[in-house]
Amino acid sequence: MRLFAIFIALLSLLHLSLGQPAHRHGGYRHRANRAFVQKRDRITMSDAAFPKGTELPEVVIYVDQYGNPIRTATETVVYMPMGTPAPKTSSLTNLPPPSSVPPQPDTAPPVVAPAPVLPPSPSPLSAEPAPEPSSKQQPGLATPAVTPASSPLSESVPQPDPYPTQPYTYPTQPDTYPTQPDTPLSGSGLHGVTYSPYKGDGNCKTEAEVDRDFSLFSKDYGVVRLYGVDCDQVSTVSKAAKKYGNKLLLGIFDINNVDSAVDTMATSLNYDWSMVDTVSVGNELVNNGAATTEQSLTALATARTCLRARGFQGPVVVVDTFVAVLAHPELCDQSDYCAVNVHPFFDPNTGAPDAGTFVNSMIQKIRGKLSDPSKRIVVTETGWPWQGEPNGAAIPGLDHQSVAISSIKGAFSSNAADVFLFTAFNDLWKKPEASTFMAEQFWGMGGRYSPSDE
């Protein structure tokens, strides 16, 4: 009986590991995801309950010719008054001509069902962040009971090439570095947010486009997280961050080129690290099988040495999923603080109202594995998609996202700087995949698109 229980727990943990999104960032990864995907069309319905045209997100149930449900999806539905023909030009602001969903083979039209009833929720996010919830539900969570001896891998991936053994020669650098303040960062009372500098077609955003993005979201967040150094992003983003008063969490995505990444950071910043809060090494590499624990820790040590030589004295951390960290807590033990990605959406037993509870539960599990249980733990990615396919109790949607984000913020009400929301804008440069419930592109806060993608 005990062996059976352990098997079930291991299976649950593996499910969560596979569910963690393989967010692809950085040069060689993002080039493979350049297929542009158009925004989904709206569905037009007639309903006497609406005196004028009204646009709402709804859960649509697709059925076959016999009325049997096939699948569900969150779609934008335009309700028109009864007896009113669909106008050639919609009266709704910026709404394209109504169109029906592409016909399904041998199926009847979709049936629109109201979204599942949720607790009173804040208005869907727009330019403003979701307000804190007045209360949080705390139901029991189906979470892993044991930790496997090694990290579960979604597939067999070739290991990275060995690190170069020859010493790296740095370019000429200044004799002294700008003084880094010892005081807490100015945005320490705000949550962090992740940001990618890629357009929907896969090209790099210009300095002006990055500045425009920051003008829309920067005031709501303290630290902005980047993942790599390609696209000249350290230069363009640091200029915007300095203009709008943000700090940065810079990232070394390719752990086989740590030295050159650090050099790019230093030269892009003109050796002024004052706006850099942290530098991360890798992103979910152990969880995805792209690197071993030893390779990640070797890269961490190399990055710390290179960064200190270039004048950065702040925290240097490895970032991986909570599943990988539970299996290999040394990823946190050897980092300057514990940096972990936790996505409640990929637990089919967790609904939007319980997102914060799930994240907090995983933090407590991690704390029990650390050599120093009092060590700072920062959630470097968490959020909720506003479009995609349902994952059990986890349902995408604008209202669901708003509720989930409020729940997460509530869990970090006393330490807002210890959580990064994923992500500032929708990532149309990514590919939708069934393994991530066709939601990979639609995690932008409030369903927001970057102006460069509109």
Side-chain angles (χ1 to χ4, degrees), residues 8-52:
I8 294 300
L10 287 174
L11 189 61
S12 175
L13 188 60
L14 178 59
H15 180 270
L16 285 172
S17 173
L18 296 179
Q20 294 302 302
H23 302 301
R24 296 177 173 89
H25 307 271
Y28 67 90
R29 291 263 182 133
H30 118 266
R31 282 195 296 270
N33 292 330
R34 290 185 171 180
F36 182 80
V37 177
Q38 297 288 341
K39 303 172 188 177
R40 189 171 293 185
D41 290 335
R42 295 167 170 81
I43 299 174
T44 302
M45 305 287 291
S46 296
D47 194 327
F50 295 87
K52 61 180 182 179

Side-chain angles (χ1 to χ4, degrees), residues 23-387:
H23 302 301
R24 296 177 173 89
H25 307 271
Y28 67 90
R29 291 263 182 133
H30 118 266
R31 282 195 296 270
N33 292 330
R34 290 185 171 180
F36 182 80
V37 177
Q38 297 288 341
K39 303 172 188 177
R40 189 171 293 185
D41 290 335
R42 295 167 170 81
I43 299 174
T44 302
M45 305 287 291
S46 296
D47 194 327
F50 295 87
K52 61 180 182 179
T54 304
E55 179 179 329
L56 294 172
E58 298 280 13
V59 175
V60 177
I61 303 174
Y62 292 89
V63 298
D64 60 19
Q65 66 267 38
Y66 305 107
N68 298 315
I70 298 175
R71 67 183 182 93
T72 62
T74 302
E75 306 279 13
T76 299
V77 179
V78 179
Y79 290 99
M80 302 298 295
M82 291 292 292
T84 302
K88 294 183 180 180
T89 302
S90 174
S91 60
L92 299 178
T93 305
N94 297 326
L95 183 65
S99 60
S100 60
V101 175
Q104 305 291 328
D106 299 323
T107 64
V111 177
V112 178
V117 178
L118 295 173
S121 62
S123 300
L125 300 176
S126 55
E128 298 296 329
E132 302 294 340
S134 57
S135 63
K136 296 192 300 176
Q137 296 184 6
Q138 305 281 343
L141 293 172
T143 55
V146 297
T147 302
S150 61
S151 175
L153 307 180
S154 58
E155 57 183 319
S156 177
V157 180
Q159 299 300 332
D161 296 332
Y163 298 105
T165 56
Q166 298 183 355
Y168 179 78
T169 303
Y170 294 105
T172 303
Q173 52 183 300
D175 295 331
T176 60
Y177 300 98
T179 302
Q180 297 187 57
D182 295 328
T183 56
L185 56 94
S186 59
S188 58
L190 297 174
H191 307 89
V193 70
T194 67
Y195 177 77
S196 297
Y198 313 124
K199 299 179 185 179
D201 60 7
N203 290 316
C204 301
K205 292 180 181 178
T206 65
E207 181 177 329
E209 289 169 330
V210 170
D211 184 273
R212 172 60 174 158
D213 284 350
F214 267 68
S215 72
L216 297 177
F217 75 85
S218 60
K219 66 182 177 64
D220 297 323
Y221 303 98
V223 183
V224 178
R225 181 189 174 192
L226 303 181
Y227 291 82
V229 297
D230 61 325
C231 277
D232 198 28
Q233 60 183 288
V234 177
S235 176
T236 58
V237 172
S238 64
K239 291 175 182 177
K242 184 175 182 179
K243 176 179 178 180
Y244 293 100
N246 299 101
K247 296 284 185 174
L248 296 177
L249 193 164
L250 299 182
I252 300 172
F253 186 81
D254 183 3
I255 65 172
N256 293 313
N257 292 287
V258 171
D259 293 331
S260 61
V262 171
D263 181 59
T264 298
M265 292 177 184
T267 54
S268 298
L269 296 168
N270 196 27
Y271 304 95
D272 180 2
W273 300 91
S274 59
M275 70 173 59
V276 179
D277 177 70
T278 300
V279 175
S280 67
V281 179
N283 186 63
E284 302 184 353
L285 297 182
V286 173
N287 183 84
N288 297 336
T292 65
T293 303
E294 291 73 21
Q295 288 170 327
S296 289
L297 294 178
T298 299
L300 173 68
T302 301
R304 188 181 284 120
T305 299
C306 294
L307 286 162
R308 298 293 184 256
R310 305 298 276 169
F312 179 66
Q313 303 301 320
V316 185
V317 300
V318 169
V319 175
D320 221 300
T321 67
F322 73 89
V323 175
V325 168
L326 285 172
H328 302 284
E330 60 270 30
L331 292 170
C332 281
D333 289 337
Q334 296 187 34
S335 294
D336 292 327
Y337 61 74
C338 184
V340 60
N341 295 346
V342 184
H343 285 285
F345 175 77
F346 292 99
D347 175 25
N349 300 307
T350 298
D354 305 315
T357 302
F358 180 88
V359 174
N360 186 62
S361 174
M362 294 305 106
I363 290 176
Q364 298 310 312
K365 287 180 179 291
I366 291 170
R367 197 170 294 286
K369 295 283 186 177
L370 300 181
S371 59
D372 177 10
S374 65
K375 192 166 191 171
R376 183 189 181 199
I377 299 177
V378 176
V379 175
T380 42
E381 274 188 23
T382 190
W384 199 270
W386 64 273
Q387 184 169 304

